[in-house]
Amino acid sequence: MSHDVKILSPCGMLGYGFPEESFRKGLEHGVHAVVVDAGSTDGGPHKLGAGVAIVSRRACKKDLEIILGESLPRKVPVIIGSAGGSGAKPHVEWTLDIIEEILRERNLCAKLAIIHADFAPDQVLDALRQGKIVPLTTNVPPLTEEAVRQTPNIVGQMGHEPILKALEAGSDIIVCGRAYDPSPFAAVGIFHGKDPGLSYHLGKILECGALCADPGTTKDGILGTIGDGHFTVQALNDCRACTPLSVAAHTFYEKEHPYLLNGPGFTLDLENCRFAEDRPGVVRVSGSRYIPQDRTFIKLEGARLAAYRTFVIAGIRDPILLERLSDVENAVIAQTKQYYPEIDDGDYQIRFYNYGMNAVLGEREYEPFRGHEVGVLFEVVAKTQELASSICATVRSTFLHYGYDGRKSTAGNLAFPFAPSDIEFGPVYAFSIYHLMEHPADGFPIEYRQGGVQDGEAG
């Protein structure tokens, strides 16, 4: 019988934070790797397009100080998936800068493996012309050459194969560009000879930290152990516990099919999975099945500059205005367009979001409005920042003084929490590439380097 493989996930997102006590408790189990996901597209295309991180540098460094400071002296490899949030070159370099700073401050050295996930436009265009790119889903339009040329940052989600190579090379820290979320976790299990189906299923659970526990959170650690024919999951904080229900429920998280999960070059079949309590707070999972595909397709992600935004936040408490709010907002839009007949309507958009009334569901809202006040956010998205700000200023002044039927006060319709009221958001990005591309599973370049304080160098 082979040995069990233990993987520690400190949190659901690098930079979200976690209790140090949970992390140290996890290390006491003699883990084979610390793996943490750092990426997501949940927040939209802005981070990829702008080349900025999801979390603050301070928060990322705080987490990494604990992870590296505790793991490296124990010779426990650390793997970071989708570095910096989007996993493009700017995000990877941002992460590496923090790692190097920590290593030098703590007088540590480490062998780093950097796995790049960037694709040049020419690479993508070649694949497109060869018919190797298809939309991710039916609601994604076919990719065009124009869209590729307009997209500066293009990344592809790697599977476990390049991460496995980096582990085989004896890397202390593996910094991955954009990765399929479970892949860094799965690579550890596969590296130690464990079943790939169990390894990927465990990775699917661990990548969100303790979200699979009860109560669930991404801001705490979780321990996964892969045995022969099964794996177990357990929380590391006494205030939460894993149950068969909580772990099974998380298996359904972020999936379009109840038991089939497609990854780069494989399908994970979870139809016959079993979830059982192994012992109090520890859940045993079995039956996960890894099915290789004949061709490997990776998910491509790219974001291009689409427009610029200016917005205003204000409060409305006048019951007369609230009764006819939608009509007044439509009238404000009409007056603004009349004021600027020289500007093409296609150069800008005006949107209202009435929080407390129907901002979340919009026209699908089924609950009647019963409140006494509304927070209104209105935005203008336009071709330039100057145009967005100019139009927004007109919307704001028109709305502020609009004379609706029955109005009793002429002092102003909006209560502004800030001055100035108009906030320039800046560039707005849109996903221009959200497609699948046929690509070799190991076709992600790996760079090796020594980090931190080297032999003979003063710390």
Side-chain angles (χ1 to χ4, degrees):
M1 181 178 293
S2 62
H3 67 283
D4 291 346
V5 175
K6 299 180 179 181
I7 305 170
L8 172 56
S9 171
C11 55
M13 174 77 71
L14 182 63
Y16 272 17
F18 52 87
E20 291 188 46
E21 299 80 8
S22 297
F23 187 74
R24 293 194 178 97
K25 185 176 179 181
L27 288 175
E28 291 172 0
H29 286 265
V31 300
H32 294 79
V34 172
V35 186
V36 61
D37 184 27
S40 178
T41 58
D42 291 354
H46 179 267
K47 306 301 183 183
L48 176 58
V52 297
I54 290 178
V55 300
S56 70
R57 192 183 192 280
R58 179 187 295 270
C60 184
K61 184 179 179 182
K62 183 178 178 66
D63 282 4
L64 281 175
E65 283 178 328
I66 300 170
I67 294 171
L68 299 179
E70 296 287 345
S71 301
L72 293 181
R74 291 176 169 85
K75 305 298 182 183
V76 176
V78 174
I79 307 176
I80 301 170
S82 299
S86 299
K89 183 179 179 180
H91 308 91
V92 171
E93 291 179 344
W94 179 84
T95 305
L96 289 171
D97 181 68
I98 296 172
I99 291 173
E100 184 65 26
E101 185 175 293
I102 294 170
L103 293 178
R104 290 190 170 274
E105 287 175 352
R106 294 184 173 240
N107 201 33
L108 296 169
C109 63
K111 179 178 180 179
L112 276 72
I114 303 100
I115 309 177
H116 300 281
D118 302 272
F119 287 84
D122 287 346
Q123 289 177 273
V124 179
L125 288 172
D126 287 344
L128 181 62
R129 290 161 186 162
Q130 294 175 41
K132 294 183 177 182
I133 297 180
V134 296
L136 179 65
T137 59
T138 55
N139 64 330
V140 175
L143 187 60
T144 65
E145 293 194 6
E146 180 184 13
V148 175
R149 293 191 181 95
Q150 292 176 345
T151 306
N153 291 330
I154 305 173
V155 293
Q157 290 189 1
M158 69 183 74
H160 68 274
E161 291 85 357
I163 307 168
L164 184 60
K165 283 186 177 181
L167 285 168
E168 291 170 344
S171 305
D172 300 312
I173 305 172
I174 302 174
V175 180
C176 305
R178 187 67 170 117
Y180 178 58
D181 290 348
S183 294
F185 301 88
V188 177
I190 295 170
F191 173 70
H192 289 281
K194 293 302 181 181
D195 177 79
L198 295 172
S199 298
Y200 262 103
H201 189 181
L202 178 60
K204 177 71 177 74
I205 293 171
L206 293 185
E207 53 115 342
C208 291
L211 199 58
C212 65
D214 184 17
T217 178
T218 57
K219 294 175 174 284
D220 206 345
I222 203 83
L223 178 69
T225 303
I226 312 176
D228 293 317
H230 71 278
F231 66 81
T232 60
V233 185
Q234 65 188 90
L236 296 167
N237 193 323
D238 292 340
C239 75
R240 63 187 90 257
C242 291
T243 68
L245 179 60
S246 69
V247 175
H250 192 68
T251 293
F252 289 98
Y253 183 66
E254 294 184 332
K255 288 170 66 241
E256 61 181 357
H257 190 282
Y259 57 81
L260 295 179
L261 181 65
N262 290 312
F266 70 91
T267 297
L268 192 61
D269 185 353
L270 307 177
E271 182 178 12
N272 296 312
C273 277
R274 297 292 179 266
F275 302 83
E277 186 177 69
D278 188 73
R279 56 190 185 276
V282 181
V283 175
R284 180 186 181 103
V285 182
S286 60
S288 317
R289 196 160 66 97
Y290 179 92
I291 305 172
Q293 296 171 346
D294 294 334
R295 302 160 67 190
T296 297
F297 283 85
I298 64 169
K299 181 189 174 191
L300 286 182
E301 297 166 352
R304 64 173 178 83
L305 178 64
Y308 294 84
R309 171 183 286 125
T310 299
F311 67 93
V312 172
I313 300 172
I316 300 175
R317 202 179 185 280
D318 183 345
I320 301 173
L321 175 55
L322 291 175
E323 286 179 357
R324 59 201 68 192
L325 185 55
S326 179
D327 291 339
V328 170
E329 288 171 345
N330 288 333
V332 168
I333 293 174
Q335 280 197 16
T336 301
K337 290 184 176 182
Q338 290 173 5
Y339 187 72
Y340 290 109
E342 71 278 12
I343 301 176
D344 192 298
D345 286 355
D347 288 352
Y348 65 93
Q349 293 177 307
I350 304 170
R351 300 188 185 95
F352 290 90
Y353 305 91
N354 298 314
Y355 286 92
M357 183 176 286
N358 60 359
V360 176
L361 292 182
E363 294 180 353
R364 295 186 179 92
E365 180 58 66
Y366 52 86
E367 289 286 344
F369 176 66
R370 301 184 181 93
H372 64 276
E373 68 177 14
V374 162
V376 58
L377 184 154
F378 52 91
E379 65 164 350
V380 175
V381 176
K383 285 187 173 182
T384 67
Q385 188 66 66
E386 184 277 331
L387 181 58
S389 297
S390 296
I391 299 294
C392 191
T394 300
V395 171
R396 181 245 310 145
S397 61
T398 304
F399 199 171
L400 177 63
H401 299 292
Y402 185 81
Y404 53 88
D405 290 341
R407 184 169 68 154
K408 297 182 181 301
S409 172
T410 58
N413 303 324
L414 304 174
F416 301 109
F418 311 119
S421 58
D422 302 14
I423 304 167
E424 289 191 350
F425 178 89
V428 177
Y429 294 88
F431 279 119
S432 47
I433 302 177
Y434 218 69
H435 295 71
L436 297 175
M437 181 177 75
E438 187 173 3
H439 186 72
D442 59 355
F444 292 81
I446 306 176
E447 172 192 352
Y448 296 100
R449 69 171 73 159
Q450 287 298 127
V453 178
Q454 309 305 311
D455 292 340
E457 182 182 359

